[in-house]
Structure formats: structure tokens, C-alpha cells
Amino acid sequence: MTWCDRCEREFDLGLLRDDGGCPACGQLLTDAPSGGSAPWHFWVVAAAAALYLGWRALQGIIWVVQQII
Ligand SMILES: [Zn+2]
């Protein structure tokens, strides 16, 4: 069994897609050991995504302020 964080449920390894993705959402699951900590490259991607989303949110706030002024 392997755990999908996105679906918050377990899947049998035999149910995974050919590329090792979650059968429900497609997230790759074979790299992540079940019950273990996430690999370092997961955190690099997560940090980059957080920075990007934070930057986009800041841009959105600036846009709203410019419409008000
Ligand atoms: Zn999933």
C-alpha cells in the first residue's frame, strides 16, 4: 500500500498508473516511501511553488490597490 497526500487515502501498488501515479489524482507516488519523510526534491518544488504563489498573491494585492487609487 502507498499513501496519497492529495487524496488523503491509501492505494494498493497494483492500482497505480503505469508511471507510478495515483489512480485518482495522478500524483506520482512511487518515489515517496509510505510513512517516511518526503524526499529533498519534493521540498525544493514545494518551496518554489510557495514562493511563486506568494509572488502572484502580492501582484494581485498590488493590482487591487491600484484599482482603488
Ligand atoms: Zn491521489
Side-chain angles (χ1 to χ4, degrees), residues 4 6-7 11 22 24-27:
C4 178
R6 200 181 290 179
C7 300
F11 292 99
C22 169
C25 70
Q27 175 159 282

